[in-house]
Amino acid sequence: MLALAGCRPPAPQAPGPAGPLVRLGPERTAIAYDAPHAEDKRVLLERINRDRAAAGVPLLRDEPRAALVGDAFCLEAALSGSWGHWDVRGQAPYLRWGRAGGVDFHAENVAAYSSSSGRVDRPLREVLLEAHEAMMAERPPRDGHRRTILDPLFTHVGIGLAVVGGEVRMSQEFTRVAFEWIELPARPLRKGDWARFAGRTLPDWEVGLVEIRFEPPPRPLSLSELRRRGSYRLPPVVRSLRPRLPAGGLYDTGGRGDFVEKDGRIALAFPVEERGHYFVVCYLRRRAGGREAMSPGTTALVTSEG
């Protein structure tokens, strides 16, 4: 998942005054949401955690914001008869998550069930568990759903679910909470503005790289286009930012770095150059040092209105 730009863009001019920021702290995983089908979702969450326990990876906590995002997406998909990861407005999962205020790294599994009778004539939890078991039965190299379910870095999951007639749509919205708090612009920006981002990681982690990824505004998709689309990935990297090295230190490609990382705190800025959506992806490494590759901890959205 780590992608480094082959060459660095020219150094931009110094940033101007910062606009208003919003801080999202621990409360971001505890929004009030009275989810429908709560008992069926609970059964599925228990199964997910049972499979994770068997694999020796940490259990997941419920994430109500992710469940809300998933419910809205599943309802639209059930009403339209679509399936897959995109919605009818052309929004990928990471964009729906960001627009709902999600800043932590996010990944999504989806499943669809249709009954020719026009109604669901089986217990709903059976449909959910059957879909989940099909994901767990995947084998490499086509085992993306299973690997997401068992990814040890994820800390939370929200279950999205909707039933319309004989159509059932389910999503598993996984998130990784690795930051104590995150700050980002409180409103959409315009071309020429500077986007500010700051945060503090949990104690065991530090930021080793930040990627700024960008995509233009989505376009609506037809039902046939939605059904043809398969897996998804984050948008392309437009800027890579690295921690500042001590005096005298230089990276292989030149320069000392782009932001200061100290005691888990970082603060950075980048220019807004196009209309669309920028995603701040912070890659983390263990503070004590380790041999594992850096892994993403955020997909924080900054919107540009052009």
Side-chain angles (χ1 to χ4, degrees):
M1 299 190 69
L2 180 61
L4 294 174
C7 60
R8 302 183 65 199
Q13 298 298 311
L21 301 177
V22 60
R23 174 175 288 204
L24 301 169
E27 77 288 342
R28 67 187 184 273
T29 64
I31 67 168
Y33 178 49
D34 187 11
H37 307 291
E39 186 61 22
D40 295 301
K41 291 183 177 185
R42 182 190 62 79
V43 170
L44 179 54
L45 175 58
E46 288 179 352
R47 176 59 62 84
I48 291 171
N49 275 333
R50 191 184 313 164
D51 290 335
R52 288 177 65 91
V57 297
L59 305 187
L60 300 176
R61 298 175 60 184
D62 179 59
E63 221 292 10
R65 186 192 306 271
L68 175 59
V69 173
D71 280 348
F73 170 60
C74 288
L75 179 58
E76 181 183 275
L79 287 167
S80 66
S82 64
W83 58 75
H85 291 288
W86 281 263
D87 63 26
V88 296
R89 290 172 296 282
Q91 298 180 125
Y94 50 80
L95 180 53
R96 294 193 299 271
W97 173 239
R99 282 183 161 173
V103 292
D104 303 297
F105 183 67
H106 170 273
E108 179 187 79
N109 284 341
V110 294
Y113 171 85
S114 298
S115 172
S116 58
S117 68
R119 61 186 179 86
V120 180
D121 47 12
R122 301 167 52 194
L124 185 55
R125 66 188 58 182
E126 286 186 11
V127 176
L128 301 182
L129 293 176
E130 183 179 87
H132 175 76
E133 288 163 3
M135 295 177 186
M136 288 299 298
E138 295 173 344
R139 292 293 178 264
R142 302 179 64 84
D143 62 337
H145 299 96
R146 181 177 182 276
R147 285 187 284 111
T148 299
I149 292 167
L150 299 182
D151 190 327
L153 294 176
F154 287 123
T155 59
H156 293 68
V157 66
I159 306 299
L161 181 59
V163 182
V164 178
E167 300 293 325
V168 179
R169 299 294 184 271
M170 182 269 284
S171 70
Q172 299 171 343
E173 312 281 344
F174 296 90
T175 67
R176 177 192 183 186
V177 176
F179 276 74
E180 291 182 7
W181 53 265
I182 289 173
E183 289 182 346
L184 69 169
R187 56 172 175 76
L189 304 181
R190 301 191 67 82
K191 184 177 180 179
D193 288 342
W194 278 75
R196 307 277 184 155
F197 176 92
R200 182 174 184 175
T201 62
L202 294 177
D204 291 341
W205 300 95
E206 64 182 4
V207 179
L209 173 73
V210 177
E211 289 179 344
I212 310 301
R213 293 172 174 258
F214 173 80
E215 68 179 13
R219 64 171 180 83
L221 298 174
S222 67
L223 191 58
S224 61
E225 286 178 304
L226 288 169
R227 290 176 172 177
R228 286 196 304 268
R229 293 201 170 194
S231 60
Y232 71 95
R233 63 181 61 188
L234 291 174
V237 178
V238 295
R239 193 174 296 273
S240 293
L241 308 175
R242 294 172 294 184
R244 189 78 51 84
L245 294 176
L250 290 175
Y251 285 101
D252 292 342
T253 53
R256 288 181 54 201
D258 309 283
F259 63 89
V260 175
E261 198 282 343
K262 184 177 181 180
D263 299 327
R265 294 175 180 262
I266 68 165
L268 56 88
F270 61 92
V272 171
E273 299 169 326
E274 301 288 343
R275 177 173 175 265
H277 301 103
Y278 292 85
F279 297 87
V280 182
V281 184
C282 297
Y283 286 85
L284 308 180
R285 59 193 175 199
R286 293 193 182 277
R287 187 172 300 279
R291 296 184 177 180
E292 67 263 41
M294 289 189 291
S295 51
T298 65
T299 43
L301 170 65
V302 175
T303 298
S304 168
E305 294 183 338

